[in-house]
Amino acid sequence: MPANHEESEADRDAALRRDLDRHLAATAGGDGEPDAEGLALLDRERWAEARDALEDALRRAEHDGDPHAILSARGDLARALIMTGDLDRAIALLGPLPDGFAALPEPDDDGRARALTALGEAYLRARRPMAAINFFGQALEIMRRRGAVEEQARLFVHLADAARLRGDSAAEGAALDRATHLDPDVGTIGECRFAN
């Protein structure tokens, strides 16, 4: 059994390396999106490098002036900042995003849900589980309206993480049960990535 786990990790690592190489090649050739390098580095969990690349992508988006691209670039940068531990800056970037995505000429519910989820992650990592629960709950409502079952399951796992941080084992168990009911694979992870 451990060999299969190692093989899956090796396969995952190889796939991520290919993804990074593809994004970096597209960026170097001028064919990729301005944030492609930073997103590839995020996928590779190279947080500090991703932060630097995504700061550049945000500057380019602000220079170009597309409101949706600016909001997305802020959210991507905030994800890297969360993982590097710069929670105050991440929260400051994320705070206006849910309303910003809702106020676009063509509102972006997925962008809004991503921003709310990232806010929840930042607050969870800052050991503020009640705020995290609020943001995860708002994202969950969007995903319910959209019928996005897998995303709902992931949000229930986040809610379980927040309940664990609060010391509420009943709520943690209920959230994991709901996640497992929605998606048996996602409900089994139940490992808090942000609160430990």
Side-chain angles (χ1 to χ4, degrees), residues 4-26:
N4 290 340
H5 179 67
E6 289 174 19
E7 288 174 6
S8 66
E9 288 296 317
D11 292 343
R12 178 181 174 267
D13 192 48
L16 289 172
R17 269 196 309 275
R18 285 190 302 274
D19 190 45
L20 177 61
D21 291 342
R22 187 181 73 249
H23 284 304
L24 292 176

Side-chain angles (χ1 to χ4, degrees):
M1 178 105 166
N4 290 340
H5 179 67
E6 289 174 19
E7 288 174 6
S8 66
E9 288 296 317
D11 292 343
R12 178 181 174 267
D13 192 48
L16 289 172
R17 269 196 309 275
R18 285 190 302 274
D19 190 45
L20 177 61
D21 291 342
R22 187 181 73 249
H23 284 304
L24 292 176
T27 302
D31 297 332
E33 294 294 317
D35 59 353
E37 177 185 7
L39 294 176
L41 290 165
L42 270 179
D43 287 344
R44 292 281 297 143
E45 299 179 358
R46 292 167 56 180
W47 313 124
E49 293 170 83
R51 177 199 58 218
D52 295 343
L54 291 168
E55 283 176 341
D56 290 341
L58 175 58
R59 280 191 288 276
R60 287 191 301 272
E62 289 172 339
H63 179 265
D64 293 344
D66 176 8
H68 188 273
I70 293 168
L71 294 171
S72 295
R74 287 179 182 163
D76 293 338
L77 174 56
R79 287 174 43 217
L81 293 170
I82 290 168
M83 300 313 295
T84 61
D86 193 348
L87 301 177
D88 291 336
R89 186 167 171 223
I91 289 168
L93 277 172
L94 289 166
L97 296 189
D99 290 340
F101 279 114
L104 290 171
E106 292 183 32
D108 181 354
D109 280 343
D110 288 333
R112 187 167 190 267
R114 280 191 309 274
L116 289 164
T117 300
L119 273 164
E121 292 171 350
Y123 277 104
L124 189 58
R125 198 160 239 234
R127 306 193 70 74
R128 295 183 54 195
M130 292 306 296
I133 288 169
N134 177 38
F135 291 117
F136 292 143
Q138 291 179 61
L140 180 61
E141 287 306 311
I142 293 169
M143 291 299 115
R144 280 184 177 149
R145 282 194 309 269
R146 297 181 64 74
V149 174
E150 188 174 305
E151 288 82 0
Q152 289 176 57
R154 286 192 185 109
L155 284 161
F156 275 112
V157 172
H158 285 314
L159 288 165
D161 291 341
R164 181 183 308 121
L165 187 58
R166 287 186 59 223
D168 188 343
S169 58
E172 176 187 357
L176 286 175
D177 286 348
R178 187 68 179 132
T180 302
H181 174 74
L182 290 167
D183 182 349
D185 293 330
V186 80
T188 61
I189 58 180
E191 299 280 333
C192 183
R193 299 181 305 150
F194 303 101
N196 294 332

